[in-house]
Amino acid sequence: MTLNDSYWQGNYCVEISPVPNIIIIFGASGDLTARKLMPALFNLYRRKLFHDKSRIVGCARTAMKTEEFRNRLRDKMSKDVEDPAELDEFLSKVCYMHGGYQDQATYSNLQHLLEKLEKDQSPVPNRTFYLATPASLYEEIVPMLGRQGLTEECYAGEPWRHVVLEKPFGHDLKSAEMLDMLLHETLSERQIYRIDHYLGKETVQNIMMLRFANVIFEPVWNNRYIDNVQITVAEDIGIENRAGYYEKAGLLRDMFQNHMLEMLSLVAMEMPSTFEANAVRDEKLKLINSIRPFPIDQLSKYMIRGQYTASDDKKAYRDEDGVRADSTTETFVGAKVMIDNWRWHGVPFYMRSGKRLGRKVSEIAIQFKTVPYSIFQPISARDMQPDILVLTVQPDEGMSLGIQAKQPGPKLCMGNLTMDFKYNSILGNESHDAYERLLLDAMLGDQTLFIRSDVIAASWRLLTPVLEAWDGFDANNLDCPCHLRNYSAGSWGPKDADSIPKHDGFKWRKL
Ligand code: BG6
């Protein structure tokens, strides 16, 4: 990695020494493994962040030999790899076993395999179980692992046995609590790594550094100086081939309960006492608990849901394969979130996310208040644009600051000047996928970027009343304030969603 010195002076890096791990991936024949997990592990290997003694065991129901599994991975990964020999070296550390997830023999075979791989190793490697399976299988796999003694740790907790889980963690408060109870029958919270891949994204990780490693932001990071905050996660894609999952989830569960609320908490939480996992997660919890419950009797002032209809060559959501013709699943949510604490009292956080919107863009925009009075008459304070700090999460990770400035020349002309910084201007093509960071942290036993059970429960506690209200209303009834609004695929969401910021005299940002 080459960093341009004119940007970075005085780098302080926390040195990382990888530790031996055996990573056992359940669901290894699936898409997530080939598309995300293996490329991320390979990149860690290239960067010398994968311990020499670490190994990967793929486990799935599909019967195949290790050689076939490696060949499949080679076929999928080689197009993005510069050095095929390096990929082969990496793949030599991968093996495969098959078996049914409900079959105890699978777990005893796994145990034999692990014992073989761990034999004579000192120190004994840690085990990181990664469940890249549908969430419905967690309830089968985790107890079976426990029954076989595979997740047992000795008293000191080392070598550790960690289990990494992908969302969804339940579909409402009750189911999340049930899942949690079940996981805790086998595992302690210290062993559970719940992934939110947004937390591995560069700009999302940078939020804490920006806020807590500089003095210039903290004095203005409050309701005295900030007018509103807008968090957008817009996607141009539809639901791809995920109708089975998406029909039951919808946008509020798929994006809001996790990625959006995690970003909100990083922007709005107080400074943790240390940069240690539980200290950070304590602050996130406090923040989510400070969000004002959505007033169900006036829900449409606070939250609008929508579903995309056909436009040009793009299908309507209801015409996607596997979607019911009368589906009322939302593919867009626009919301106003209020935080009841001293720092944020009165500052609206407008949040929107949708499928099949104009383009893919995720950003957090902090809009400051305008000056109370202008000495640059006749330019009045009202003529001036508010200062705005935008943290772009994707596609061009970076940040920009828009301020008022004098335009060069003899006349007094004021304009909005944008200072722009993009990560790829210094990193070139050297991109880091979010999974790299998250897998590395899981292998190092650092839970900071993983979600704790009480934070999940708090987010479901906030959103479950909304989901229940939506379920109780007829989504197609136009007289109902909660009805599902249509928007054309490729647009920026339902027109009615504009009323949310408009009500307070604001507008959604143009993207
Ligand atoms: C996933 C959602 O968590 O995030 C998907 O399940 C969504 O529906 C995806 O498309 C978006 O991730 P990214 O990194 O492409 O913004």
Side-chain angles (χ1 to χ4, degrees), residues 167 197-198 201 235 237 242 245 254-255 259 355 360 394:
K167 75 173 181 46
H197 77 282
Y198 263 65
K201 291 185 189 271
E235 292 188 273
I237 55 167
R242 299 163 72 218
Y245 155 75
D254 186 45
M255 300 296 285
H259 311 323
K355 297 269 184 207
K360 182 172 177 73
Q394 56 193 20

mmCIF file of all heavy atoms in Angstrom, residues 167 197-198 201 235 237 242 245 254-255 259 355 360 394, ligand 1:
data_model
loop_
_atom_site.group_PDB
_atom_site.id
_atom_site.type_symbol
_atom_site.label_atom_id
_atom_site.label_comp_id
_atom_site.label_asym_id
_atom_site.label_seq_id
_atom_site.Cartn_x
_atom_site.Cartn_y
_atom_site.Cartn_z
ATOM 1 N N LYS A 167 -26.572 -10.966 9.774
ATOM 2 C CA LYS A 167 -27.961 -10.618 10.029
ATOM 3 C C LYS A 167 -28.873 -11.440 9.118
ATOM 4 O O LYS A 167 -28.380 -11.951 8.120
ATOM 5 C CB LYS A 167 -28.165 -9.125 9.828
ATOM 6 C CG LYS A 167 -28.194 -8.682 8.360
ATOM 7 C CD LYS A 167 -28.568 -7.249 8.303
ATOM 8 C CE LYS A 167 -28.660 -6.691 6.944
ATOM 9 N NZ LYS A 167 -29.321 -7.345 5.877
ATOM 10 N N HIS A 197 -21.912 -5.303 8.120
ATOM 11 C CA HIS A 197 -20.757 -5.030 7.254
ATOM 12 C C HIS A 197 -20.523 -3.531 7.065
ATOM 13 O O HIS A 197 -19.435 -3.109 6.705
ATOM 14 C CB HIS A 197 -20.849 -5.786 5.924
ATOM 15 C CG HIS A 197 -21.794 -5.192 4.927
ATOM 16 N ND1 HIS A 197 -23.146 -5.358 5.006
ATOM 17 C CD2 HIS A 197 -21.579 -4.409 3.847
ATOM 18 C CE1 HIS A 197 -23.722 -4.728 3.997
ATOM 19 N NE2 HIS A 197 -22.798 -4.142 3.274
ATOM 20 N N TYR A 198 -21.541 -2.697 7.363
ATOM 21 C CA TYR A 198 -21.325 -1.244 7.242
ATOM 22 C C TYR A 198 -20.250 -0.760 8.213
ATOM 23 O O TYR A 198 -19.565 0.207 7.958
ATOM 24 C CB TYR A 198 -22.643 -0.488 7.451
ATOM 25 C CG TYR A 198 -23.262 -0.157 6.119
ATOM 26 C CD1 TYR A 198 -23.698 -1.172 5.281
ATOM 27 C CD2 TYR A 198 -23.361 1.158 5.671
ATOM 28 C CE1 TYR A 198 -24.212 -0.896 4.039
ATOM 29 C CE2 TYR A 198 -23.876 1.448 4.419
ATOM 30 C CZ TYR A 198 -24.299 0.422 3.606
ATOM 31 O OH TYR A 198 -24.790 0.702 2.373
ATOM 32 N N LYS A 201 -16.794 -0.533 6.781
ATOM 33 C CA LYS A 201 -16.498 0.403 5.675
ATOM 34 C C LYS A 201 -15.599 1.526 6.183
ATOM 35 O O LYS A 201 -15.779 2.018 7.291
ATOM 36 C CB LYS A 201 -17.804 0.969 5.093
ATOM 37 C CG LYS A 201 -18.600 -0.095 4.347
ATOM 38 C CD LYS A 201 -19.812 0.513 3.689
ATOM 39 C CE LYS A 201 -20.739 -0.554 3.133
ATOM 40 N NZ LYS A 201 -20.453 -0.953 1.773
ATOM 41 N N GLU A 235 -29.765 2.677 -3.115
ATOM 42 C CA GLU A 235 -29.225 1.631 -3.995
ATOM 43 C C GLU A 235 -29.934 1.711 -5.334
ATOM 44 O O GLU A 235 -31.141 1.999 -5.387
ATOM 45 C CB GLU A 235 -29.482 0.261 -3.388
ATOM 46 C CG GLU A 235 -28.702 0.000 -2.124
ATOM 47 C CD GLU A 235 -28.859 -1.446 -1.685
ATOM 48 O OE1 GLU A 235 -29.826 -1.731 -0.964
ATOM 49 O OE2 GLU A 235 -28.042 -2.268 -2.087
ATOM 50 N N ILE A 237 -29.798 -0.990 -7.364
ATOM 51 C CA ILE A 237 -30.239 -2.364 -7.640
ATOM 52 C C ILE A 237 -31.607 -2.631 -6.998
ATOM 53 O O ILE A 237 -32.021 -1.920 -6.084
ATOM 54 C CB ILE A 237 -29.229 -3.416 -7.118
ATOM 55 C CG1 ILE A 237 -28.952 -3.216 -5.623
ATOM 56 C CG2 ILE A 237 -27.949 -3.397 -7.919
ATOM 57 C CD1 ILE A 237 -28.226 -4.368 -4.971
ATOM 58 N N ARG A 242 -33.255 -12.289 -4.288
ATOM 59 C CA ARG A 242 -33.454 -12.550 -2.859
ATOM 60 C C ARG A 242 -34.894 -12.376 -2.411
ATOM 61 O O ARG A 242 -35.161 -12.021 -1.265
ATOM 62 C CB ARG A 242 -32.558 -11.613 -2.055
ATOM 63 C CG ARG A 242 -31.086 -11.806 -2.357
ATOM 64 C CD ARG A 242 -30.308 -10.615 -1.886
ATOM 65 N NE ARG A 242 -30.211 -10.558 -0.445
ATOM 66 C CZ ARG A 242 -30.261 -9.434 0.264
ATOM 67 N NH1 ARG A 242 -30.453 -8.278 -0.354
ATOM 68 N NH2 ARG A 242 -30.123 -9.439 1.559
ATOM 69 N N TYR A 245 -36.115 -13.973 0.919
ATOM 70 C CA TYR A 245 -35.741 -13.265 2.152
ATOM 71 C C TYR A 245 -36.433 -11.901 2.213
ATOM 72 O O TYR A 245 -37.031 -11.530 3.229
ATOM 73 C CB TYR A 245 -34.212 -13.092 2.175
ATOM 74 C CG TYR A 245 -33.731 -11.928 3.006
ATOM 75 C CD1 TYR A 245 -33.729 -12.001 4.400
ATOM 76 C CD2 TYR A 245 -33.293 -10.747 2.399
ATOM 77 C CE1 TYR A 245 -33.295 -10.919 5.169
ATOM 78 C CE2 TYR A 245 -32.862 -9.669 3.153
ATOM 79 C CZ TYR A 245 -32.870 -9.760 4.536
ATOM 80 O OH TYR A 245 -32.454 -8.692 5.295
ATOM 81 N N ASP A 254 -34.289 -4.754 6.752
ATOM 82 C CA ASP A 254 -33.072 -5.087 6.008
ATOM 83 C C ASP A 254 -31.978 -4.027 6.164
ATOM 84 O O ASP A 254 -30.797 -4.360 6.222
ATOM 85 C CB ASP A 254 -33.442 -5.247 4.516
ATOM 86 C CG ASP A 254 -32.269 -5.742 3.682
ATOM 87 O OD1 ASP A 254 -31.589 -6.685 4.122
ATOM 88 O OD2 ASP A 254 -32.023 -5.184 2.591
ATOM 89 N N MET A 255 -32.356 -2.761 6.224
ATOM 90 C CA MET A 255 -31.337 -1.700 6.228
ATOM 91 C C MET A 255 -31.390 -0.803 7.464
ATOM 92 O O MET A 255 -30.368 -0.306 7.915
ATOM 93 C CB MET A 255 -31.516 -0.785 4.989
ATOM 94 C CG MET A 255 -31.388 -1.472 3.678
ATOM 95 S SD MET A 255 -29.738 -2.158 3.378
ATOM 96 C CE MET A 255 -28.789 -0.707 3.005
ATOM 97 N N HIS A 259 -27.791 -1.234 9.570
ATOM 98 C CA HIS A 259 -26.816 -0.292 9.003
ATOM 99 C C HIS A 259 -27.136 1.170 9.332
ATOM 100 O O HIS A 259 -26.279 1.942 9.731
ATOM 101 C CB HIS A 259 -26.750 -0.418 7.478
ATOM 102 C CG HIS A 259 -26.613 -1.825 6.984
ATOM 103 N ND1 HIS A 259 -25.858 -2.765 7.625
ATOM 104 C CD2 HIS A 259 -27.138 -2.458 5.901
ATOM 105 C CE1 HIS A 259 -25.909 -3.917 6.958
ATOM 106 N NE2 HIS A 259 -26.693 -3.747 5.909
ATOM 107 N N LYS A 355 -34.388 0.744 -2.395
ATOM 108 C CA LYS A 355 -33.912 -0.042 -3.539
ATOM 109 C C LYS A 355 -34.405 0.661 -4.795
ATOM 110 O O LYS A 355 -35.444 1.331 -4.783
ATOM 111 C CB LYS A 355 -34.543 -1.438 -3.510
ATOM 112 C CG LYS A 355 -34.151 -2.251 -2.289
ATOM 113 C CD LYS A 355 -32.922 -3.060 -2.557
ATOM 114 C CE LYS A 355 -32.560 -3.953 -1.411
ATOM 115 N NZ LYS A 355 -31.120 -4.236 -1.359
ATOM 116 N N LYS A 360 -26.462 4.500 -6.767
ATOM 117 C CA LYS A 360 -25.972 3.975 -5.496
ATOM 118 C C LYS A 360 -25.182 5.073 -4.802
ATOM 119 O O LYS A 360 -24.191 5.568 -5.332
ATOM 120 C CB LYS A 360 -25.071 2.765 -5.749
ATOM 121 C CG LYS A 360 -24.555 2.118 -4.471
ATOM 122 C CD LYS A 360 -23.831 0.813 -4.796
ATOM 123 C CE LYS A 360 -23.233 0.160 -3.574
ATOM 124 N NZ LYS A 360 -24.203 -0.455 -2.686
ATOM 125 N N GLN A 394 -20.090 5.560 0.318
ATOM 126 C CA GLN A 394 -19.868 4.931 -0.971
ATOM 127 C C GLN A 394 -20.687 5.645 -2.033
ATOM 128 O O GLN A 394 -21.631 6.332 -1.691
ATOM 129 C CB GLN A 394 -20.214 3.432 -0.941
ATOM 130 C CG GLN A 394 -21.604 3.141 -0.494
ATOM 131 C CD GLN A 394 -21.826 1.671 -0.168
ATOM 132 O OE1 GLN A 394 -20.910 0.915 0.074
ATOM 133 N NE2 GLN A 394 -23.066 1.268 -0.154
HETATM 134 C C1 BG6 B 1 -27.274 -5.827 2.975
HETATM 135 C C2 BG6 B 1 -28.718 -5.874 2.596
HETATM 136 O O1 BG6 B 1 -27.127 -5.913 4.359
HETATM 137 O O2 BG6 B 1 -26.702 -4.614 2.514
HETATM 138 C C3 BG6 B 1 -28.890 -5.723 1.098
HETATM 139 O O3 BG6 B 1 -29.283 -7.119 3.009
HETATM 140 C C4 BG6 B 1 -28.193 -4.482 0.613
HETATM 141 O O4 BG6 B 1 -30.265 -5.669 0.754
HETATM 142 C C5 BG6 B 1 -26.758 -4.450 1.110
HETATM 143 O O5 BG6 B 1 -28.224 -4.484 -0.804
HETATM 144 C C6 BG6 B 1 -26.114 -3.116 0.789
HETATM 145 O O6 BG6 B 1 -24.754 -3.199 1.088
HETATM 146 P P1 BG6 B 1 -23.719 -2.273 0.339
HETATM 147 O O7 BG6 B 1 -22.424 -2.554 1.012
HETATM 148 O O8 BG6 B 1 -23.741 -2.676 -1.108
HETATM 149 O O9 BG6 B 1 -24.212 -0.875 0.527
#
